Amino acid sequence: MTSEPLLSVRDLRVEFSTSAGVVTAVDGASFDVRRGETVALLGESGSGKSVTAQAMLGIIPKPAGRVTGGSIEYDGRDLLALPATATRELRGREIAMVFQDPLSSLNPVFRVGAQIGEMFRKHRGASRKEARAEALELMRRVGIPAAEKRLDDYPHQFSGGMRQRVMIAMALALSPRLLIADEPTTALDVTVQAQIMDLLARLQDEEGMSLVLITHDLGVVADVADRVVLMYAGRVVEAGPIREVYEHSAHPYTAGLMGSLPAIDGPRERLTPIQGAPPDLLDLPSGCSFRPRCAFASERCADEEPVLLGAPGRPAPHSSACHHAGKVLTDAP
Amino acid sequence: MAAYVLRRLFFSVFVLWGAVTIIFVVLRLVPGDPAYIMLGPDADQAQVAALRAQLGLDHSLIQQYATYLSNVVRLDFGQSFRLNADSMSLVLQRVPATVQLASTALLVSLLIGLPLGVVAALRANTWIDRGISVFSLLGQSTPSFWLGIVMILLFARGLQVLPSSGSGSWAHLVLPTITLALPFLAILVRLTRSGLLEVVHEGYVQTARAKGLLESTVILSHALRNALIPIVTVVGLQFGALLGGTVIVETVFAWPGVGRLLIDSIGRRDYGVVQASILLVATIFVGINLLVDLIYGFLDPRVRLAGD
């Protein structure tokens, strides 16, 4: 793991036009992904984490969505400044993605072998036969039993977990250096979730690629992620090494999330939910977006939007976007 | 798959039985005794009675129906008293002309309708899309008989670049084909547009983009293949309308096909020919729908497996 980031997102802004008005889905998000590292992008629905991933891949749905500012530097090149053909060539080869729902993400009318093999045929000009052999190899690698027989099956003939394995095989086909997994286990059974996470962790280790894990589930990433980036209402609110952030939350939102988690070894007590509802992106409060739900909120929070700064008194990579970060740190249990 | 086809063929027999029965009933409900019409106003009672006996019209309806069914099974529709030839052979002689016209119209509709629909979907809500929408709305709502006459006036009488009627060369095929194809083409444009717009936001289209595929591959392979599934069904049903359209178009352009023969024969109460043509058209329609179901199964593997 070198310190030079593979991917560097700076002040990313993405807007969507809806019938109700323009929504700023991502509002100045910044974070890095280093080589070989696993970064968890955490946040609830509408926090902008999936849109950030789409922007990294250059597949923001047009014409409704558009990137209106910032940069996404990948291996020294700004993806947002590259021509469309150049970013398309990076997709699949350098940056690959696994989506949340493997059933809707696989094309129902093509055989899975062909869908995996397409990567080799379209990117490498492989023959049908070569692509088939490569697809078979990949299906074995991601642990699909009787892969030889299943090459010619269609997605609906697979179970949820096996479909996600197919998706992962497809994403890994060209040995990308960055894999983005958008809620890869959300649509799966709990037992299968663990298998898929283990598979992702193992493959990342083998390939030495960087992994961005997008999730709303703190537990899913606790064991696999090196660093965590928390998003709220399109902004990064806290970032840092995962244990550091979990144990010394420097943002009231993170602290709230941790407080709402049941502890398997702790005393049995009522869970503490975060008060209020997720923000309406069309009608965000002034200053800090989390203010209406925050116990620490002061007048300053309404007037001045907090920026991401080093968490006071904590080691360097830990940062928080809260005016009262120090107080949050000392008040936390 | 074979069992499915056999089952469908079995049910097709009932559909055709229904069709021939409806023809039988309708022809007998139409006012005007065929014997009178055939012999003309000067015929006397004895002549009419003799002809009625010859045609079997003096029997009870049940008897007539039984004779009729047994003849249908043997494909024997009797002599055409108007053209003095075997009814079925008369119809069969006209089939190639109708098939030529209908298949050219189908081909033209597909070749123009599908791409226009794709363009409209990709440029949704732009002036290109609106232009295509207006065109297809006009195409769908313009009656064939009117369009046919306007085309004749414009291209045959006015510009004198194309023949107004008859057959024999490719030039003769142009105006009838356009007239027949337009409504079908228009429906196809609208179906393709809406079908494609429905699937472009599907997860697998996003996946195809994430795989770094060319946008043309994403749309034409991943999206369109899925969008085609519902389109094929409607195309099959609309093909019936296309066959019906040949009746009007063949009459307007004096195209020597089954449709025109049918119209002429209805006018003269030429029962045998009417029955033979309708049975033939119904058979083609049933066959096309069977074909559509097979294509559907080919396009959508989920259906194929559920049927087995």
Side-chain angles (χ1 to χ4, degrees), chain B residues 27-101:
Chain B
L27 279 181
R28 271 141 192 91
L29 285 176
V30 175
D33 187 315
Y36 275 115
I37 294 172
M38 284 158 65
L39 293 168
D42 302 331
D44 61 37
Q45 284 296 329
Q47 281 174 304
V48 170
L51 187 58
R52 282 180 63 89
Q54 191 196 327
L55 294 172
L57 293 173
D58 52 347
H59 296 295
S60 74
L61 271 182
I62 301 290
Q63 264 179 317
Q64 286 185 44
Y65 182 61
T67 323
Y68 166 69
L69 274 191
S70 81
N71 287 341
V72 166
V73 171
R74 284 178 280 118
L75 293 181
D76 175 11
F77 292 89
Q79 289 285 112
S80 158
F81 45 76
R82 185 169 68 94
L83 300 164
N84 245 328
D86 177 57
S87 298
M88 198 65 195
S89 347
L90 276 173
V91 175
L92 288 174
Q93 279 167 23
R94 301 290 197 101
V95 167
T98 296
V99 167
Q100 187 190 24
L101 180 60

Coordinates of all heavy atoms in Angstrom, one line a residue, chain B residues 27-101:
Chain B
L27 N -72.4 -14.7 -44.2 CA -72.8 -14.7 -45.6 C -74.3 -14.9 -45.8 O -74.9 -14.4 -46.7 CB -72.0 -15.8 -46.4 CG -70.6 -15.4 -46.8 CD1 -69.9 -16.5 -47.6 CD2 -70.6 -14.1 -47.7
R28 N -74.8 -15.7 -44.8 CA -76.3 -16.0 -44.9 C -77.1 -14.9 -44.3 O -78.3 -14.8 -44.5 CB -76.6 -17.4 -44.3 CG -76.5 -18.4 -45.4 CD -75.8 -19.7 -44.9 NE -75.5 -20.6 -46.1 CZ -74.3 -20.5 -46.7 NH1 -73.4 -19.7 -46.3 NH2 -74.1 -21.3 -47.7
L29 N -76.5 -14.0 -43.5 CA -77.2 -12.9 -42.9 C -77.2 -11.7 -43.9 O -78.1 -10.9 -43.8 CB -76.5 -12.5 -41.6 CG -76.7 -13.4 -40.4 CD1 -75.9 -12.9 -39.2 CD2 -78.2 -13.5 -40.1
V30 N -76.3 -11.7 -44.8 CA -76.2 -10.6 -45.8 C -77.5 -10.6 -46.6 O -77.8 -11.7 -47.2 CB -75.0 -10.7 -46.7 CG1 -75.0 -9.6 -47.7 CG2 -73.7 -10.6 -45.8
P31 N -78.2 -9.5 -46.8 CA -79.4 -9.5 -47.6 C -79.1 -9.8 -49.1 O -78.0 -9.5 -49.5 CB -80.0 -8.1 -47.4 CG -78.8 -7.3 -46.9 CD -77.9 -8.2 -46.2
G32 N -80.0 -10.4 -49.8 CA -79.8 -10.6 -51.2 C -79.6 -12.1 -51.4 O -78.6 -12.7 -50.9
D33 N -80.5 -12.7 -52.2 CA -80.3 -14.1 -52.6 C -79.2 -14.3 -53.7 O -79.4 -13.6 -54.7 CB -81.6 -14.7 -53.1 CG -81.6 -16.2 -53.3 OD1 -80.6 -16.7 -53.9 OD2 -82.5 -16.9 -52.8
P34 N -78.2 -15.1 -53.5 CA -77.2 -15.2 -54.5 C -77.7 -15.6 -55.8 O -77.2 -15.1 -56.9 CB -76.2 -16.2 -53.9 CG -76.9 -16.8 -52.8 CD -77.9 -15.9 -52.3
A35 N -78.7 -16.4 -55.8 CA -79.3 -16.9 -57.1 C -79.9 -15.7 -57.9 O -79.6 -15.6 -59.1 CB -80.4 -18.0 -56.9
Y36 N -80.6 -14.8 -57.2 CA -81.1 -13.6 -57.9 C -80.0 -12.8 -58.4 O -80.0 -12.3 -59.6 CB -81.9 -12.8 -56.9 CG -83.4 -13.2 -56.8 CD1 -83.9 -13.8 -55.6 CD2 -84.2 -13.1 -57.9 CE1 -85.2 -14.2 -55.5 CE2 -85.6 -13.5 -57.7 CZ -86.0 -14.0 -56.6 OH -87.3 -14.4 -56.5
I37 N -79.0 -12.5 -57.5 CA -77.9 -11.6 -57.9 C -77.1 -12.2 -59.1 O -76.8 -11.5 -60.1 CB -77.0 -11.4 -56.7 CG1 -77.7 -10.6 -55.7 CG2 -75.7 -10.6 -57.1 CD1 -77.0 -10.5 -54.4
M38 N -76.9 -13.5 -59.1 CA -76.2 -14.1 -60.2 C -76.9 -14.1 -61.5 O -76.4 -13.9 -62.6 CB -75.8 -15.6 -59.9 CG -74.7 -15.7 -58.8 SD -74.8 -17.3 -58.0 CE -74.4 -18.4 -59.3
L39 N -78.2 -14.4 -61.4 CA -79.0 -14.5 -62.7 C -79.4 -13.1 -63.2 O -79.8 -13.0 -64.4 CB -80.2 -15.4 -62.5 CG -79.9 -16.8 -62.2 CD1 -81.1 -17.6 -61.7 CD2 -79.3 -17.5 -63.4
G40 N -79.4 -12.1 -62.4 CA -79.8 -10.8 -62.8 C -81.3 -10.6 -62.7 O -82.0 -11.5 -62.4
P41 N -81.8 -9.4 -62.9 CA -83.2 -9.0 -62.7 C -84.1 -9.7 -63.7 O -85.3 -9.8 -63.4 CB -83.2 -7.5 -62.8 CG -82.0 -7.1 -63.6 CD -81.0 -8.2 -63.3
D42 N -83.7 -10.2 -64.8 CA -84.6 -10.7 -65.8 C -85.0 -12.2 -65.6 O -85.8 -12.7 -66.2 CB -84.0 -10.6 -67.2 CG -83.6 -9.1 -67.5 OD1 -84.3 -8.2 -67.0 OD2 -82.7 -8.9 -68.2
A43 N -84.3 -12.8 -64.6 CA -84.5 -14.3 -64.4 C -85.9 -14.6 -63.9 O -86.5 -13.8 -63.1 CB -83.5 -14.8 -63.4
D44 N -86.5 -15.7 -64.3 CA -87.8 -16.0 -63.8 C -87.7 -17.0 -62.7 O -86.6 -17.5 -62.3 CB -88.7 -16.6 -64.9 CG -88.1 -17.9 -65.5 OD1 -87.5 -18.7 -64.7 OD2 -88.2 -18.1 -66.8
Q45 N -88.8 -17.3 -62.0 CA -88.9 -18.1 -60.8 C -88.2 -19.5 -61.0 O -87.5 -19.9 -60.1 CB -90.3 -18.3 -60.3 CG -90.9 -17.0 -59.6 CD -90.1 -16.7 -58.3 OE1 -89.6 -17.6 -57.6 NE2 -90.0 -15.4 -58.0
A46 N -88.5 -20.1 -62.1 CA -88.0 -21.4 -62.3 C -86.5 -21.5 -62.4 O -85.9 -22.3 -61.8 CB -88.6 -22.0 -63.6
Q47 N -86.0 -20.5 -63.1 CA -84.5 -20.4 -63.2 C -83.8 -20.3 -61.9 O -82.9 -20.9 -61.5 CB -84.1 -19.2 -64.1 CG -84.2 -19.5 -65.6 CD -84.0 -18.3 -66.4 OE1 -84.6 -17.2 -66.2 NE2 -83.1 -18.3 -67.4
V48 N -84.5 -19.3 -61.1 CA -83.9 -19.1 -59.7 C -84.0 -20.4 -58.9 O -83.0 -20.7 -58.3 CB -84.7 -17.9 -59.0 CG1 -84.3 -17.8 -57.6 CG2 -84.4 -16.6 -59.7
A49 N -85.1 -21.0 -58.9 CA -85.3 -22.3 -58.1 C -84.3 -23.3 -58.6 O -83.7 -24.0 -57.7 CB -86.7 -22.8 -58.3
A50 N -84.0 -23.4 -59.8 CA -83.1 -24.4 -60.4 C -81.7 -24.1 -59.8 O -80.9 -25.0 -59.4 CB -83.1 -24.4 -61.9
L51 N -81.3 -22.8 -59.9 CA -80.0 -22.5 -59.5 C -79.8 -22.7 -58.0 O -78.8 -23.1 -57.5 CB -79.7 -21.0 -59.8 CG -78.2 -20.6 -59.6 CD1 -77.2 -21.4 -60.3 CD2 -78.0 -19.1 -59.9
R52 N -80.9 -22.3 -57.2 CA -80.9 -22.5 -55.8 C -80.6 -24.0 -55.4 O -79.9 -24.3 -54.5 CB -82.2 -22.0 -55.1 CG -82.3 -20.5 -55.0 CD -83.6 -20.1 -54.4 NE -83.7 -20.6 -53.0 CZ -83.3 -20.0 -51.9 NH1 -82.7 -18.8 -52.0 NH2 -83.4 -20.5 -50.7
A53 N -81.3 -24.8 -56.2 CA -81.1 -26.3 -55.9 C -79.7 -26.7 -56.3 O -79.1 -27.4 -55.5 CB -82.1 -27.1 -56.8
Q54 N -79.2 -26.1 -57.4 CA -77.8 -26.5 -57.8 C -76.8 -26.0 -56.7 O -75.8 -26.7 -56.5 CB -77.5 -25.8 -59.1 CG -76.3 -26.2 -59.8 CD -75.8 -25.3 -60.9 OE1 -76.7 -24.6 -61.6 NE2 -74.6 -25.1 -61.1
L55 N -77.1 -24.9 -56.1 CA -76.1 -24.3 -55.1 C -76.4 -25.0 -53.7 O -75.7 -24.7 -52.8 CB -76.3 -22.8 -55.0 CG -75.8 -22.0 -56.2 CD1 -76.2 -20.5 -56.0 CD2 -74.3 -22.1 -56.5
G56 N -77.5 -25.7 -53.6 CA -77.8 -26.4 -52.3 C -78.4 -25.4 -51.4 O -78.5 -25.7 -50.2
L57 N -78.9 -24.3 -51.9 CA -79.6 -23.3 -51.0 C -81.0 -23.7 -50.6 O -81.6 -23.0 -49.8 CB -79.6 -21.9 -51.7 CG -78.2 -21.3 -52.0 CD1 -78.3 -20.0 -52.8 CD2 -77.5 -21.0 -50.7
D58 N -81.5 -24.7 -51.2 CA -82.9 -25.2 -50.9 C -82.9 -26.1 -49.6 O -83.9 -26.4 -49.1 CB -83.6 -25.9 -52.0 CG -82.7 -27.0 -52.6 OD1 -81.5 -27.0 -52.3 OD2 -83.2 -27.8 -53.4
H59 N -81.7 -26.5 -49.2 CA -81.6 -27.3 -48.0 C -81.8 -26.5 -46.8 O -81.6 -25.2 -46.8 CB -80.3 -28.1 -48.0 CG -80.1 -29.1 -49.1 ND1 -80.9 -30.2 -49.2 CD2 -79.2 -29.1 -50.1 CE1 -80.5 -30.8 -50.3 NE2 -79.5 -30.2 -50.8
S60 N -81.9 -27.2 -45.6 CA -82.0 -26.4 -44.3 C -80.6 -25.9 -44.0 O -79.6 -26.4 -44.5 CB -82.5 -27.3 -43.2 OG -81.5 -28.2 -42.8
L61 N -80.6 -24.9 -43.1 CA -79.3 -24.3 -42.7 C -78.3 -25.3 -42.1 O -77.2 -25.3 -42.4 CB -79.5 -23.1 -41.7 CG -79.8 -21.7 -42.4 CD1 -79.9 -20.7 -41.3 CD2 -78.6 -21.3 -43.3
I62 N -78.9 -26.2 -41.3 CA -78.1 -27.2 -40.6 C -77.4 -28.1 -41.7 O -76.2 -28.3 -41.7 CB -78.9 -28.1 -39.7 CG1 -79.6 -27.2 -38.6 CG2 -78.1 -29.2 -39.1 CD1 -78.6 -26.6 -37.6
Q63 N -78.3 -28.5 -42.7 CA -77.8 -29.4 -43.8 C -76.7 -28.6 -44.5 O -75.6 -29.2 -44.9 CB -78.9 -29.7 -44.7 CG -79.5 -31.1 -44.4 CD -80.6 -31.4 -45.3 OE1 -81.5 -30.5 -45.6 NE2 -80.7 -32.6 -45.8
Q64 N -77.0 -27.3 -44.8 CA -76.0 -26.5 -45.6 C -74.7 -26.4 -44.8 O -73.6 -26.6 -45.4 CB -76.5 -25.1 -45.8 CG -77.6 -25.0 -46.9 CD -78.0 -23.6 -47.1 OE1 -77.2 -22.7 -47.2 NE2 -79.3 -23.3 -47.2
Y65 N -74.8 -26.2 -43.5 CA -73.6 -26.1 -42.7 C -72.8 -27.4 -42.7 O -71.5 -27.3 -42.8 CB -74.0 -25.7 -41.3 CG -72.9 -25.5 -40.3 CD1 -71.9 -24.5 -40.6 CD2 -72.7 -26.2 -39.2 CE1 -70.9 -24.2 -39.7 CE2 -71.6 -26.0 -38.3 CZ -70.7 -25.0 -38.6 OH -69.7 -24.8 -37.7
A66 N -73.5 -28.5 -42.6 CA -72.8 -29.8 -42.5 C -72.1 -30.0 -43.9 O -70.9 -30.4 -43.9 CB -73.8 -30.9 -42.3
T67 N -72.8 -29.8 -45.0 CA -72.1 -30.0 -46.3 C -70.9 -29.0 -46.4 O -69.8 -29.4 -46.8 CB -73.1 -29.6 -47.4 OG1 -74.4 -30.1 -47.0 CG2 -72.7 -30.2 -48.7
Y68 N -71.2 -27.8 -45.9 CA -70.1 -26.8 -46.0 C -68.9 -27.2 -45.2 O -67.7 -27.2 -45.8 CB -70.7 -25.5 -45.4 CG -69.7 -24.4 -45.1 CD1 -69.0 -23.7 -46.1 CD2 -69.5 -24.0 -43.8 CE1 -68.1 -22.7 -45.8 CE2 -68.6 -23.0 -43.5 CZ -67.9 -22.3 -44.5 OH -67.1 -21.3 -44.2
L69 N -69.1 -27.7 -44.0 CA -67.9 -28.1 -43.2 C -67.1 -29.3 -43.8 O -65.9 -29.2 -43.9 CB -68.4 -28.5 -41.8 CG -68.5 -27.4 -40.7 CD1 -68.7 -28.0 -39.4 CD2 -67.3 -26.5 -40.7
S70 N -67.9 -30.2 -44.3 CA -67.2 -31.4 -44.9 C -66.4 -30.9 -46.2 O -65.3 -31.4 -46.5 CB -68.2 -32.5 -45.3 OG -68.8 -32.2 -46.5
N71 N -67.0 -29.9 -46.9 CA -66.2 -29.4 -48.1 C -65.0 -28.6 -47.6 O -63.9 -28.7 -48.3 CB -67.1 -28.5 -48.9 CG -68.2 -29.3 -49.6 OD1 -68.0 -30.5 -49.8 ND2 -69.3 -28.6 -50.0
V72 N -65.1 -27.9 -46.5 CA -64.0 -27.1 -46.0 C -62.9 -28.0 -45.7 O -61.7 -27.7 -46.0 CB -64.4 -26.2 -44.8 CG1 -63.2 -25.6 -44.1 CG2 -65.3 -25.1 -45.2
V73 N -63.2 -29.1 -45.0 CA -62.1 -30.0 -44.6 C -61.4 -30.5 -45.8 O -60.2 -30.7 -45.8 CB -62.7 -31.2 -43.8 CG1 -61.7 -32.2 -43.5 CG2 -63.3 -30.6 -42.4
R74 N -62.1 -30.7 -46.9 CA -61.5 -31.2 -48.1 C -60.9 -30.1 -49.0 O -60.5 -30.2 -50.1 CB -62.4 -32.1 -48.9 CG -62.6 -33.5 -48.3 CD -63.6 -34.3 -49.1 NE -65.0 -34.0 -48.7 CZ -65.9 -33.5 -49.5 NH1 -65.6 -33.3 -50.8 NH2 -67.1 -33.2 -49.1
L75 N -61.0 -28.8 -48.4 CA -60.6 -27.6 -49.1 C -61.4 -27.4 -50.4 O -60.8 -26.9 -51.4 CB -59.1 -27.6 -49.3 CG -58.2 -27.5 -48.1 CD1 -56.8 -27.5 -48.5 CD2 -58.6 -26.3 -47.3
D76 N -62.6 -28.0 -50.5 CA -63.4 -27.9 -51.7 C -64.4 -26.8 -51.5 O -65.4 -26.9 -50.7 CB -64.0 -29.2 -51.9 CG -65.0 -29.2 -53.1 OD1 -65.0 -28.1 -53.8 OD2 -65.7 -30.1 -53.3
F77 N -64.2 -25.7 -52.1 CA -65.2 -24.5 -52.0 C -66.0 -24.4 -53.2 O -66.7 -23.4 -53.4 CB -64.4 -23.2 -51.7 CG -63.8 -23.3 -50.3 CD1 -62.5 -23.7 -50.1 CD2 -64.5 -22.8 -49.2 CE1 -61.9 -23.8 -48.9 CE2 -63.9 -22.8 -47.9 CZ -62.6 -23.3 -47.8
G78 N -66.0 -25.4 -54.0 CA -66.8 -25.4 -55.2 C -66.3 -24.5 -56.3 O -65.3 -23.9 -56.2
Q79 N -67.1 -24.5 -57.4 CA -66.8 -23.6 -58.5 C -67.2 -22.2 -58.3 O -68.2 -21.9 -57.6 CB -67.6 -24.1 -59.8 CG -67.1 -25.4 -60.3 CD -65.8 -25.3 -61.1 OE1 -64.8 -25.8 -60.7 NE2 -65.9 -24.6 -62.2
S80 N -66.4 -21.2 -58.7 CA -66.8 -19.8 -58.7 C -67.7 -19.6 -59.9 O -67.3 -19.9 -61.0 CB -65.6 -18.9 -58.8 OG -66.0 -17.7 -59.3
F81 N -69.0 -19.3 -59.6 CA -69.9 -19.1 -60.7 C -69.6 -17.8 -61.5 O -70.0 -17.7 -62.6 CB -71.4 -19.2 -60.3 CG -71.7 -18.3 -59.0 CD1 -71.8 -16.9 -59.2 CD2 -71.9 -18.9 -57.8 CE1 -72.0 -16.2 -58.0 CE2 -72.1 -18.2 -56.7 CZ -72.2 -16.8 -56.8
R82 N -68.9 -16.9 -60.8 CA -68.6 -15.7 -61.5 C -67.4 -15.9 -62.5 O -67.4 -15.4 -63.6 CB -68.2 -14.6 -60.4 CG -67.9 -13.2 -61.0 CD -67.8 -12.2 -59.8 NE -66.6 -12.4 -59.0 CZ -65.5 -11.8 -59.2 NH1 -65.4 -10.9 -60.2 NH2 -64.4 -12.0 -58.5
L83 N -66.4 -16.6 -62.0 CA -65.2 -16.7 -62.9 C -65.0 -18.1 -63.5 O -64.1 -18.4 -64.2 CB -64.0 -16.4 -62.0 CG -64.0 -15.0 -61.5 CD1 -62.9 -14.8 -60.3 CD2 -63.7 -14.0 -62.6
N84 N -66.1 -19.0 -63.1 CA -66.1 -20.3 -63.7 C -64.8 -21.1 -63.6 O -64.2 -21.6 -64.5 CB -66.3 -20.2 -65.3 CG -67.7 -20.9 -65.6 OD1 -68.0 -21.8 -64.9 ND2 -68.4 -20.3 -66.5
A85 N -64.3 -21.1 -62.3 CA -63.1 -21.9 -62.0 C -63.2 -22.4 -60.6 O -64.0 -21.9 -59.8 CB -61.9 -21.0 -62.2
D86 N -62.3 -23.3 -60.2 CA -62.3 -23.7 -58.8 C -62.0 -22.6 -57.9 O -61.0 -21.9 -58.0 CB -61.3 -24.9 -58.7 CG -61.2 -25.4 -57.2 OD1 -62.3 -25.8 -56.7 OD2 -60.1 -25.3 -56.6
S87 N -62.8 -22.4 -56.8 CA -62.7 -21.3 -55.9 C -61.3 -21.2 -55.3 O -60.6 -20.2 -55.3 CB -63.7 -21.3 -54.9 OG -65.0 -21.2 -55.4
M88 N -60.9 -22.3 -54.7 CA -59.6 -22.4 -54.0 C -58.5 -22.0 -54.9 O -57.6 -21.3 -54.5 CB -59.5 -23.7 -53.3 CG -58.4 -23.7 -52.2 SD -59.0 -22.7 -50.8 CE -57.5 -22.5 -49.9
S89 N -58.5 -22.6 -56.1 CA -57.4 -22.3 -57.0 C -57.3 -20.8 -57.4 O -56.3 -20.2 -57.5 CB -57.4 -23.2 -58.3 OG -58.3 -24.2 -58.2
L90 N -58.5 -20.3 -57.6 CA -58.6 -18.8 -57.9 C -57.9 -18.0 -56.8 O -57.1 -17.1 -57.0 CB -60.1 -18.4 -58.0 CG -60.8 -18.6 -59.3 CD1 -62.2 -18.3 -59.2 CD2 -60.1 -17.7 -60.4
V91 N -58.2 -18.4 -55.5 CA -57.6 -17.7 -54.4 C -56.1 -17.9 -54.3 O -55.4 -16.9 -54.2 CB -58.3 -18.1 -53.1 CG1 -57.6 -17.5 -51.9 CG2 -59.8 -17.8 -53.1
L92 N -55.7 -19.1 -54.5 CA -54.3 -19.5 -54.4 C -53.5 -18.7 -55.5 O -52.4 -18.3 -55.2 CB -54.1 -21.0 -54.5 CG -54.5 -21.8 -53.3 CD1 -54.4 -23.3 -53.5 CD2 -53.7 -21.3 -52.1
Q93 N -54.1 -18.5 -56.7 CA -53.4 -17.8 -57.7 C -53.1 -16.3 -57.3 O -52.2 -15.7 -57.7 CB -54.3 -17.7 -59.0 CG -54.3 -18.9 -59.8 CD -55.4 -18.9 -60.9 OE1 -55.9 -17.8 -61.2 NE2 -55.8 -20.0 -61.4
R94 N -54.0 -15.8 -56.4 CA -53.9 -14.4 -56.0 C -52.9 -14.3 -54.8 O -52.6 -13.2 -54.5 CB -55.2 -13.8 -55.6 CG -56.2 -13.8 -56.7 CD -55.8 -12.8 -57.8 NE -57.0 -12.5 -58.7 CZ -57.7 -11.4 -58.6 NH1 -57.4 -10.5 -57.6 NH2 -58.7 -11.2 -59.4
V95 N -52.6 -15.4 -54.1 CA -51.8 -15.3 -52.9 C -50.4 -14.6 -53.1 O -50.1 -13.7 -52.4 CB -51.7 -16.7 -52.2 CG1 -50.6 -16.7 -51.2 CG2 -53.0 -17.1 -51.7
P96 N -49.7 -15.0 -54.2 CA -48.3 -14.4 -54.3 C -48.4 -12.9 -54.3 O -47.5 -12.3 -53.7 CB -47.8 -15.0 -55.6 CG -48.6 -16.3 -55.8 CD -49.9 -16.0 -55.2
A97 N -49.3 -12.3 -55.0 CA -49.4 -10.9 -55.1 C -49.6 -10.2 -53.7 O -49.0 -9.2 -53.4 CB -50.5 -10.4 -56.1
T98 N -50.5 -10.8 -52.9 CA -50.8 -10.3 -51.6 C -49.6 -10.5 -50.7 O -49.2 -9.6 -49.9 CB -52.0 -11.0 -51.0 OG1 -53.2 -10.6 -51.8 CG2 -52.3 -10.5 -49.6
V99 N -49.0 -11.7 -50.8 CA -47.8 -11.9 -49.9 C -46.7 -10.9 -50.3 O -46.1 -10.4 -49.4 CB -47.3 -13.4 -50.1 CG1 -46.0 -13.6 -49.5 CG2 -48.3 -14.3 -49.4
Q100 N -46.5 -10.7 -51.6 CA -45.5 -9.7 -52.0 C -45.8 -8.4 -51.4 O -44.9 -7.7 -50.8 CB -45.5 -9.6 -53.5 CG -44.3 -8.8 -54.0 CD -44.5 -8.5 -55.5 OE1 -45.6 -8.5 -56.1 NE2 -43.3 -8.3 -56.2
L101 N -47.0 -7.9 -51.5 CA -47.4 -6.6 -51.0 C -47.2 -6.5 -49.5 O -46.6 -5.6 -48.9 CB -48.8 -6.2 -51.4 CG -49.3 -4.9 -51.0 CD1 -48.5 -3.8 -51.5 CD2 -50.8 -4.7 -51.4

